[in-house]
Amino acid sequence: ESDQTEYRTLDDSTLREAAESDPQGFVKRSTNTLIIDEAQLIPSLLPAIKKAVDEDIRPGQYLLTGSANIQSLPTVRESLAGRIANIRLRPLARGEVKKIAPRFIESAFEQSFSRNFDHYDRDALIELALRGGFPEPMRLQDRSRRRWHNDYINAILERDLKEIARIHRKNAMRDLVNILAAWSGKFMDLSAIGSGLSIQRPTIESYISALETLYLVERIYPWTKTDYARVGKQSRLFMVDSGLMATLLRWKMDQVRFDSDRSGKLMETFAFNEIMAQVDAEDGLYELFHYRDREKREIDFIIEREDNALIGIEIKAGSAVGKNDFKHLKWFQNNIATNQTFTGIILYAGEIPASFGDNLWAVPFGLLWS
């Protein structure tokens, strides 16, 4: 309510100058909660906020929002450790769009899948993935949606890179963003990523970290909780939105529909966006990993519950699943997860959830958000 909350944005040049000139005066509140948008633009506000909350320890006095992870910025010297809670606002998941609280992860652990859900065939799933989860472009048609995505990337590279990450090589960063879009879902190989760029390896690592801070890319770490000596240690890299990825790669519906490599990559990034949003929403109950060993046995995603129970998930863009599709999940179940509860799932474009025995399931994509 207006008498309890005040909003100030540092995109406003006058407010920004005031914040720079007098941080402590800027953070003084006349309401219960002060919302400061784009707070990462003025790192000197954090010590002032720290002082204010140390003098008055009531929670909820400040809500800091912005397009970057303020605690990861190189210009920030005050972490606010013990005084701040982080909530990541991702692009919309399908459950949010449909106003449904998804139960996919819980249902997977219980192996109890509803048969009352909306079915999406392969083309419908590709269309959803091409749209992505940013609210504004979801409602736009192809050309307008691509323009929005490009404007979004340009705005981040024009402003945030220079003002927040202190990186001024905009053209090199734009090339890197395009390359990382092509690497979405792949295992990180800095030498290969940088092969077409005139950037040194340490610089590439710092640039990727900056893009993570700006919520453009995200890495998923390997599941290594085993004595198995051949487990790979490489992380996988994902774009934070499948629609943004498709725009950067200039993919259109017909280019994806008839290309199994592109459709597989698009659906895997889309699935990651959906699953990661649900993992986040459970506030630490689950962690998301991937699995790969030197024998090239791979599992796209592994969800570990806090009691060490596991779900292995593989993504299949097609509408048919056979026994052979479960070979890596079954091997992991029989050789790695022998002392843990394990459920193996293939997400596919089919119409019904089907048991393949031994806690192995083919599950339609529609159940991700039903």
Side-chain angles (χ1 to χ4, degrees):
E1 296 179 8
S2 59
D3 62 334
Q4 296 181 345
T5 302
E6 183 182 358
Y7 174 84
R8 302 174 192 169
T9 176
L10 295 178
D11 269 338
D12 183 294
S13 59
T14 301
L15 289 177
R16 184 170 175 177
E17 287 193 21
E20 288 176 327
S21 301
D22 182 13
Q24 292 192 12
F26 188 84
V27 303
K28 285 185 178 178
R29 297 176 297 106
S30 58
T31 58
N32 289 346
T33 301
L34 173 60
I35 301 172
I36 304 176
D37 185 36
E38 300 299 345
Q40 77 279 357
L41 296 176
I42 310 293
S44 58
L45 289 178
L46 296 189
I49 291 173
K50 176 183 177 181
K51 184 175 186 297
V53 298
D54 283 347
E55 293 173 352
D56 180 353
I57 63 173
R58 288 176 298 165
Q61 298 176 63
Y62 296 95
L63 177 60
L64 310 181
T65 66
S67 55
N69 182 348
I70 192 169
Q71 291 175 293
S72 298
L73 301 177
T75 53
V76 170
R77 298 291 177 265
E78 178 53 66
S79 69
L80 291 180
R83 302 169 180 85
I84 192 169
N86 292 295
I87 300 174
R88 178 164 178 171
L89 187 62
R90 294 179 176 273
L92 293 176
R94 289 301 303 167
E96 292 175 290
V97 175
K98 295 168 67 67
K99 298 181 179 179
I100 296 172
R103 292 189 65 254
F104 168 72
I105 298 178
E106 181 182 350
S107 297
F109 276 113
E110 295 175 352
Q111 299 187 50
S112 175
F113 299 105
S114 172
R115 292 180 178 266
N116 181 24
F117 64 95
D118 294 332
H119 168 61
Y120 294 79
D121 62 21
R122 185 172 179 272
D123 281 0
L125 290 168
I126 290 173
E127 178 60 33
L128 287 178
L130 289 172
R131 288 188 175 277
F134 286 106
E136 296 87 349
M138 284 177 66
R139 297 188 289 265
L140 300 176
Q141 296 305 311
D142 294 355
R143 188 174 299 170
S144 297
R145 184 168 66 241
R146 291 193 294 272
R147 186 182 302 119
W148 188 97
H149 283 140
N150 281 314
D151 288 345
Y152 177 77
I153 289 290
N154 288 334
I156 288 177
L157 298 185
E158 289 277 359
R159 185 191 70 175
D160 290 346
L161 273 179
K162 290 186 290 186
E163 296 192 13
I164 298 170
R166 302 290 175 86
I167 294 173
H168 297 274
R169 297 181 63 183
K170 176 192 168 186
N171 291 337
M173 280 298 277
R174 181 59 195 246
D175 290 342
L176 178 59
V177 169
N178 290 337
I179 289 171
L180 294 181
W183 276 76
S184 185
K186 293 184 178 181
F187 296 92
M188 288 187 64
D189 182 339
L190 295 181
S191 297
I193 290 172
S195 62
L197 300 171
S198 56
I199 305 175
Q200 297 296 319
R201 181 187 174 109
T203 303
I204 291 176
E205 179 66 54
S206 68
Y207 279 16
I208 292 175
S209 296
L211 293 174
E212 287 185 279
T213 297
L214 295 170
Y215 300 123
L216 289 178
V217 299
E218 187 168 3
R219 67 184 81 193
I220 175 174
Y221 294 97
W223 189 88
T224 58
K225 299 177 183 179
T226 173
D227 293 331
Y228 188 61
R230 296 181 179 271
V231 173
K233 302 298 191 294
Q234 282 180 298
S235 297
R236 295 178 73 196
L237 192 78
F238 282 95
M239 294 297 293
V240 297
D241 182 71
S242 59
L244 184 64
M245 181 198 80
T247 289
L248 290 170
L249 296 175
R250 300 181 180 180
W251 286 357
K252 299 178 182 178
M253 182 66 176
D254 286 344
Q255 295 172 308
V256 177
R257 177 190 286 149
F258 302 114
D259 188 317
S260 60
D261 288 339
R262 290 180 177 179
S263 62
K265 178 188 187 68
L266 181 69
M267 293 310 302
E268 196 167 309
T269 300
F270 178 56
F272 168 77
N273 299 154
E274 291 289 324
I275 293 169
M276 195 68 232
Q278 294 187 36
V279 168
D280 275 0
E282 294 299 334
D283 196 24
L285 178 60
Y286 307 119
E287 289 185 87
L288 186 65
F289 303 93
H290 75 84
Y291 178 85
R292 186 194 200 194
D293 62 31
R294 295 178 190 174
E295 307 301 323
K296 296 188 177 180
R297 286 180 283 253
E298 298 180 14
I299 298 176
D300 294 328
F301 305 112
I302 288 183
I303 300 174
E304 183 169 18
R305 198 167 57 188
E306 61 182 2
D307 64 357
N308 300 126
L310 299 171
I311 299 172
I313 301 174
E314 296 202 24
I315 308 303
K316 187 175 175 65
S319 58
V321 173
K323 270 188 175 183
N324 194 51
D325 294 316
F326 288 90
K327 63 181 180 181
H328 291 171
L329 290 166
K330 196 166 184 62
W331 181 91
F332 186 92
Q333 180 184 51
N334 292 335
N335 293 274
I336 303 296
T338 53
N339 296 317
Q340 293 169 272
T341 300
F342 179 81
T343 304
I345 289 174
I346 293 178
L347 281 172
Y348 78 125
E351 298 185 30
I352 58 171
S355 171
F356 278 71
D358 298 326
N359 302 330
L360 303 174
W361 290 82
V363 177
F365 264 95
L367 280 168
L368 257 180
W369 49 80
S370 299

